[in-house]
Amino acid sequence: YTIDTNSNYLKMNNIICSTIIALALIALTVEAAVFKDCGSSQGAIQGVDIIPCNENPCILHRGKNATIVIKFTPKEEVTAGKSVVKGILAGIPVPFSIPQPDLCAGIEKGCPLASGTEYTYSASLPILSQYPSLRVTVQWQLLDSNSNIIVCMRTPVSIGN
């Protein structure tokens, strides 16, 4: 019985290369959203994700839901707060109603939030079919109970089919 070591080596090499290519393609389809801090004074943003999003700017499809995930660390204890969302069109901020504006409802463990501890805020919202196709900058603020800005971020998105 003889073992063809070249054949086994080539098979193993092909499996390893295929696995690396598949992992690279998966990594390319899950991008973090590009965002700019727009005045976080009572906290720091660690990261922002929009789901689904596989390119920048993110394309939000009408008739579907989109979820935003903001990882942040407050500088002070937060016992209550709200989320405020605006669409910026031609430099003009337009208020956007969200289904659940309560900040604490968007935090997995709720409030209070301890100073210096990282939290994950998430909110899902419908992209209504009546929205026009356009590019817009979304501004998302997390405010404390005194309307101080914990974090503020802006990210470009496109609304499409």
Side-chain angles (χ1 to χ4, degrees):
Y1 183 78
T2 2
I3 299 174
D4 184 358
T5 55
N6 284 340
S7 176
N8 287 338
Y9 174 77
L10 290 175
K11 286 180 185 176
M12 183 59 87
N13 197 21
N14 283 341
I15 291 170
I16 292 170
C17 287
S18 297
T19 303
I20 290 171
I21 289 170
L23 290 173
L25 289 173
I26 290 169
L28 287 174
T29 61
V30 180
E31 288 188 37
V34 173
F35 72 93
K36 289 184 180 178
D37 190 297
C38 55
S40 300
S41 61
Q42 301 298 311
I45 301 172
Q46 271 65 57
V48 175
D49 288 312
I50 299 174
I51 303 164
C53 179
N54 57 7
E55 58 191 287
N56 283 304
C58 291
I59 298 173
L60 306 180
H61 299 281
R62 290 185 296 220
K64 307 277 182 174
N65 286 338
T67 300
I68 187 160
V69 178
I70 302 173
K71 291 186 179 188
F72 71 101
T73 304
K75 292 180 181 175
E76 297 178 0
E77 182 182 47
V78 177
T79 56
K82 64 182 177 179
S83 303
V84 176
V85 181
K86 296 177 183 167
I88 300 173
L89 298 164
I92 300 169
V94 178
F96 184 82
S97 177
I98 57 174
Q100 179 53 270
D102 180 4
L103 167 66
C104 299
I107 307 290
E108 185 177 313
K109 296 179 183 177
C111 289
L113 308 180
S115 173
T117 301
E118 183 176 302
Y119 293 93
T120 301
Y121 165 86
S122 65
S124 292
L125 51 131
I127 308 304
L128 301 179
S129 55
Q130 60 260 39
Y131 291 166
S133 291
L134 55 82
R135 287 186 68 151
V136 62
T137 298
V138 173
Q139 176 176 291
W140 206 291
Q141 295 177 314
L142 303 180
L143 308 177
D144 68 15
S145 58
N146 295 317
S147 294
N148 296 316
I149 299 170
I150 303 167
V151 293
C152 178
M153 74 90 199
R154 288 183 181 170
T155 187
V157 299
S158 290
I159 297 176
N161 292 330

